[in-house]
Amino acid sequence: MKYVDEYRDPILAKQLIVEINAAVTRPWSLMEVCGGQTHTIVRQGIDDLLPAGLRMVHGPGCPVCVTPLELIDKACAIAARPDVIFTSYGDMLRVPGSHTDLLSLKARGSDVRIVYSPMDALRMAIEAPDRQVVFFAVGFETTAPANAMAVIQAKELGLRNFSVLVSHVLVPPAMTALLEDPECGIDAFLAAGHVCTVMGWREYEPIAEKYHVPIVVTGFEPLDLLEGILMAVRQLEAGQATVENQYIRAVQRLGNAHAQEAISRVFAVTDRTWRGVGSIPRSGLTLAADYAQFDATTRFDVGGIETAEHPACIAGDILRGVKVPTDCTAYGTLCTPRLPLGAPMVSSEGTCAAFYNAGRGRQAVAASTARS
Amino acid sequence: MSLEAPPGTSAALVANACPVPRVESERVLLGHGSGGQLSAELLREVIVPALGKAARSGAMEDGAVIHVDSHDLVMSTDSFVVNPRFFAGGDIGCLAVHGTVNDLAMMGAMPIALTLALVIEEGFPIEELRTICESVGRAATAAGVPVVTGDTKVVGRGDADGIFINTAGLGSRLPAARPSATRATIGDVVLLSGPIGLHGTTVMSTRVGLGFESDIASDTQPLHRLVELMVAIAGDAIHVMRDPTRGGLASALNEIAQTSGVQICLDEDTIPVPPTVAAACEILGLDPLHVANEGCLVAIVAPEFAGDLIAAMQQTPEGREACAIGHVTDADATRVVMSTLVGSRRIVDMLIGEQLPRIC
């Protein structure tokens, strides 16, 4: 497949692995921020081919995983209403809330529908004026522009039966929070290529400088990741800490101005709780005052929700990169993609699911112990 | 699945852990019909035990062999609920014929007769019903199998989605054929008759409106003639045959690995994934190995026949792109593994529930 096969070339991949091995002289910990990158690393077994001292730490960049439990519970409460058509991207449906999940509600008769774009939800609202259509607006900066466009159009059309449950999160504040954590121990970041396609990398420059960490904007194919790892390692070995761009075919320093304009028009920055991590200041988006009428949490009374995480789940430590899934006593036993306890086991981009789907069991534990 | 508890997790610890607030599991979810792990669980834990003594024991196969006098008859049945009903390359009518003919063929049987049962929603256009039945007729004629009996039910508006079709097939097993999911043997070669993922991605991209419907078509076709040719060449050295429908190639091979107690090793490079399938899967966030097929088969055969079989299969329209994709090896775990492009290895698991498109 054009534009994909070029980045999956086995011969080039092996060359890059040789170069990485040659470049590394000391142990380093690299965090790939995005769940899509984790998926490629684990699926291709890239981390198994890296030199012993080079550790990949899997970051918090799976939007499904970090959506707070409270919002999942609110989504379930809204979806259970008979007047509502609840729409969402597919992989949010199986995320466990405190008591149920959206797929189970669907099986009980709630009108829960998978959409591929917020525009599909908007169309449903136009076609079903007697129903309330709610879209679960989750994701990083990547999905925010399209979700913003849906809200802008809803306002232009004067739709009174369309609203969004917003759970957008922002990458740079999360990276800063990780770096402020004394347990962190991350030497360099592979920044998420698609987030940077929208936002550019300007906002990463002060982070690289302040914390003296190399940040490499990286794509999602095997060669992208190997090249990103090599660039980060070379910076570390040379004592540098700048922002570099590996994903040159998609990302420019200033990003996509139109997309950024849509985001800043519809959304305002707010404090946000990340599931498993806790509250991070100014790390999320909420609807700006001009668009507050489209906020599903105020349109439907979903206050007074009490949430309860499963006590065995260590999702927070996994999302912060402090632990790996195989450190968890529930991994593969109480918690599987079939019956997940925590969100990272749900989405294919969640670290636990990525590990489980690649069949990582005891071997992975042995390997990670040997490296640390 | 061969995951063990992580070290330090004693069985007692797991057993004594807090009661798990399990996601609701006492209702049927859509994923229970996906042909993956959930489907297997429903059969194993609910349907088969409930049938009690009436359920014949033995390996789960695509059809059942019944010995009558000196003949081996094969029975199979399948229901068709595909949405949309019409898609590039076929429709629900021809699919209902091919699905059951292929289930018989995977048991090494040639079709003798089909039944046709229709459940139709009140208000369904007669013209569309006629079109679908004409498609059934054409497909059955082309496959050389008569439709011998049937049933028609109409349910109230909203009680079914348009039309559901069930077909059952009776077949006669070729005397030399002995395929069974129990017979995969160490050293065997895994053959695939054609490219994977066409049916599932066609249906899914038609449903979603991805816009490349014109570039892709379902592979739905009958496979019994290909099977007849293969059996003529290799007889009972064809150890296992499966048509990887729902759950895709990954689920079919996992079932075989588990039933035969072997490990199956695949080589990612050799698996034919058409570019449009690869593109659709990239967009939808799906694994081509989990996507449904309706016109290809996977066969596990003794190594000495692999070359002749591939050469002969490639001479047929159904098997034009036949190839070897892996082999059966000894291992302590029954599973499917695949060598990755960068030279590492990963486990290929069954589809769990419904295929859910991812966010980004």
Side-chain angles (χ1 to χ4, degrees), chain A residues 8 44 101 108 338 356, chain B residues 3 23-24 38 41 282:
Chain A
R8 294 180 182 174
Q44 295 288 341
D101 59 77
R108 282 183 169 273
R338 159 80 181 85
Y356 192 95
Chain B
L3 278 170
V23 178
E24 174 164 31
L38 277 180
E41 218 174 275
E282 284 292 325

Side-chain angles (χ1 to χ4, degrees), chain A residues 193-274:
Chain A
H194 290 158
V195 168
C196 295
T197 307
V198 173
M199 300 304 294
W201 69 77
R202 256 183 313 180
E203 51 188 347
Y204 297 87
E205 287 166 351
I207 299 176
E209 192 180 331
K210 179 175 176 192
Y211 298 95
H212 199 75
V213 283
I215 299 174
V216 181
V217 178
T218 305
F220 301 84
E221 295 300 324
L223 289 190
D224 290 326
L225 283 152
L226 287 167
E227 193 179 17
I229 291 167
L230 180 62
M231 289 164 78
V233 165
R234 282 189 172 151
Q235 279 204 49
L236 286 168
E237 293 284 343
Q240 293 170 349
T242 61
V243 181
E244 279 187 289
N245 181 21
Q246 180 278 327
Y247 203 29
I248 46 174
R249 64 187 185 279
V251 179
Q252 296 183 320
R253 181 170 177 271
L254 299 182
N256 180 332
H258 292 293
Q260 291 168 24
E261 198 272 327
I263 295 175
S264 57
R265 184 165 154 200
V266 172
F267 296 116
V269 174
T270 181
D271 297 349
R272 172 75 68 201
T273 301
W274 293 50

Side-chain angles (χ1 to χ4, degrees), chain B residues 31-58:
Chain B
H32 282 113
S34 66
Q37 278 181 30
L38 277 180
S39 304
E41 218 174 275
L42 196 66
L43 269 176
R44 191 176 62 237
E45 291 174 11
V46 180
I47 297 172
V48 173
L51 289 173
K53 286 181 185 156
R56 192 165 76 173
S57 61

